[in-house]
Amino acid sequence: MSKLDEALAELKYDERGLIPAIVVDTESKQVLMMAWMNAEALKMTLQTGRTHFWSRSRQKFWMKGESSGHVQEVRGVYLDCDADTLLIEVVQHGAACHEGYRSCFFRRLGEDGTWETVAEKVFDPEDVYGRGGEGHTPPKR
Amino acid sequence: MSKLDEALAELKYDERGLIPAIVVDTESKQVLMMAWMNAEALKMTLQTGRTHFWSRSRQKFWMKGESSGHVQEVRGVYLDCDADTLLIEVVQHGAACHEGYRSCFFRRLGEDGTWETVAEKVFDPEDVYGRGGEGHTPPKR
C-alpha cells in the first residue's frame, strides 16, 4: 500500500460511502460550495488536479465545470480532526454557483427573517448553460 | 407562519433530518469546523446566538463550547443555492477544534502523500477537557 493509499484509508465515509468536501478559494478563503465525494471522485480529483464529485441525485460522477467551463484547480486538500470532512482549496475559474454567483452561499438570513441575496452575479446562467437544452442542465448536487 | 418560519421551511434536510453547517471565522473567513444541525439545533442557534448542533454519534444536542468554554457567537447565517447546506459566520472564543487547534482542518495532504499538521495548537486539550474524567469528554460530532 502506497503512502497516499494509507493516507486516504484514514478517511471516514458515511453509510453511503460519501464524504462532504468544502471548496474554498485559495486566495480569498471564501467558501465557494459544498459537495460530496466518494473514494473514486477523490482519486479523480487528486489525479487530474480538478475537483470531481459524486452526484447523489443523478448517481454519477461530475467534474466541476464540465458543462460551464468553470473548473476548479486544486491547490490543497485538508482533512478535519474526525477525518470525516474534506476541505479543498482551489483556483476557481469563473464562478462556483450554477446560478451565476461566485459562491453558492449568496443568501444571508436578514434581520427581518427572510433570505437576502448579498452577492452580485458574475455571469448569466442562460449564457453559460443555455435555456435548458439537453446536456446543458447545470450539475446538481 | 412568521417570515422566519417561512425562511427556515426552505431548508432541505437529509433523510436523517440533518443539514451540514460549515462554521467560518467572521473576520479571517477561515473554515473552523463542519457539524450537523437539525431544525431544533438551528432554532436554538438563532435564539441564543450561539451555535448548537446535533451529535449523530451521541444522538443529542450540544452547544459548541459547553465543556471547553470555546463558544461561537453567531454573526451571520448563509444558505447555499440548493438550500441543503448552511454556512455560519462566528466569533470563535478560544479554538474550534477539541484537539487544540484553531480550526479542525489542521492536516494537509503533502506531496509525499501523507497528512501533515500545518497549524499550531492554541491550547492543550488536557488543560481544557481534563484527562478523560466523566463529563469532560470533548464533544464528538
Side-chain angles (χ1 to χ4, degrees):
Chain A
M1 193 149 94
S2 74
K3 277 189 181 177
L4 180 59
D5 287 338
E6 276 179 47
L8 299 184
E10 286 187 44
L11 271 59
K12 291 182 191 135
Y13 296 91
D14 70 11
E15 60 281 8
R16 301 163 300 186
L18 299 175
I19 191 166
I22 302 165
V23 182
V24 306
D25 185 298
T26 191
E27 289 197 1
S28 69
K29 306 304 178 196
Q30 181 185 29
V31 177
L32 298 171
M33 55 183 277
M34 203 282 274
W36 296 84
M37 290 185 178
N38 55 17
E40 190 64 23
L42 177 56
K43 272 191 193 162
M44 291 161 81
T45 297
L46 295 175
Q47 279 166 6
T48 65
R50 301 208 166 175
T51 52
H52 288 70
F53 303 97
W54 177 256
S55 168
R56 295 171 299 166
S57 56
R58 296 186 300 162
Q59 288 286 302
K60 59 178 283 204
F61 293 104
W62 60 285
M63 185 185 81
K64 175 64 195 166
E66 66 189 11
S67 40
S68 63
H70 295 169
V71 297
Q72 294 172 334
E73 291 176 38
V74 176
R75 288 289 184 271
V77 175
Y78 297 79
L79 182 61
D80 75 344
C81 49
D82 292 333
D84 62 4
T85 307
L86 291 166
L87 185 148
I88 318 277
E89 279 188 353
V90 303
V91 173
Q92 173 71 60
H93 293 244
C97 184
H98 70 278
E99 292 194 27
Y101 300 94
R102 178 84 180 158
S103 164
C104 294
F105 298 91
F106 57 85
R107 286 182 289 175
R108 186 179 195 280
L109 192 59
E111 295 203 354
D112 67 350
T114 65
W115 295 108
E116 297 170 356
T117 295
V118 291
E120 301 282 332
K121 287 193 186 192
V122 296
F123 72 85
D124 181 341
E126 288 192 354
D127 292 344
V128 170
Y129 297 105
R131 289 172 185 271
E134 194 161 11
H136 289 84
T137 44
K140 293 294 289 176
R141 290 184 292 283
Chain B
M1 192 150 91
S2 74
K3 277 188 182 177
L4 180 59
D5 287 338
E6 275 179 47
L8 298 185
E10 286 187 45
L11 270 58
K12 290 182 192 136
Y13 295 91
D14 70 11
E15 61 279 7
R16 301 163 299 186
L18 300 176
I19 190 166
I22 302 164
V23 181
V24 306
D25 185 298
T26 192
E27 289 196 1
S28 69
K29 306 305 179 196
Q30 181 185 29
V31 176
L32 299 172
M33 55 181 277
M34 204 281 274
W36 297 84
M37 290 184 177
N38 56 15
E40 190 64 22
L42 177 55
K43 272 191 192 161
M44 291 161 80
T45 297
L46 296 175
Q47 280 166 6
T48 64
R50 303 213 165 170
T51 53
H52 288 70
F53 303 98
W54 177 257
S55 168
R56 294 172 298 165
S57 57
R58 296 186 300 163
Q59 289 285 304
K60 60 179 283 203
F61 293 104
W62 59 285
M63 185 185 82
K64 175 63 196 167
E66 65 189 11
S67 40
S68 63
H70 295 169
V71 297
Q72 296 172 333
E73 292 177 36
V74 176
R75 288 291 183 271
V77 175
Y78 297 78
L79 182 61
D80 75 342
C81 49
D82 292 332
D84 61 5
T85 307
L86 292 167
L87 186 149
I88 317 277
E89 279 187 355
V90 302
V91 173
Q92 172 71 59
H93 292 243
C97 183
H98 69 278
E99 292 194 26
Y101 300 94
R102 177 84 180 158
S103 163
C104 293
F105 297 91
F106 57 84
R107 286 183 289 176
R108 184 179 196 278
L109 191 59
E111 296 203 354
D112 67 350
T114 65
W115 294 109
E116 296 170 357
T117 296
V118 291
E120 301 282 330
K121 288 193 186 192
V122 295
F123 71 85
D124 181 341
E126 288 192 354
D127 292 343
V128 170
Y129 298 105
R131 291 173 184 268
E134 194 162 11
H136 289 86
T137 45
K140 292 294 291 178
R141 291 184 290 285

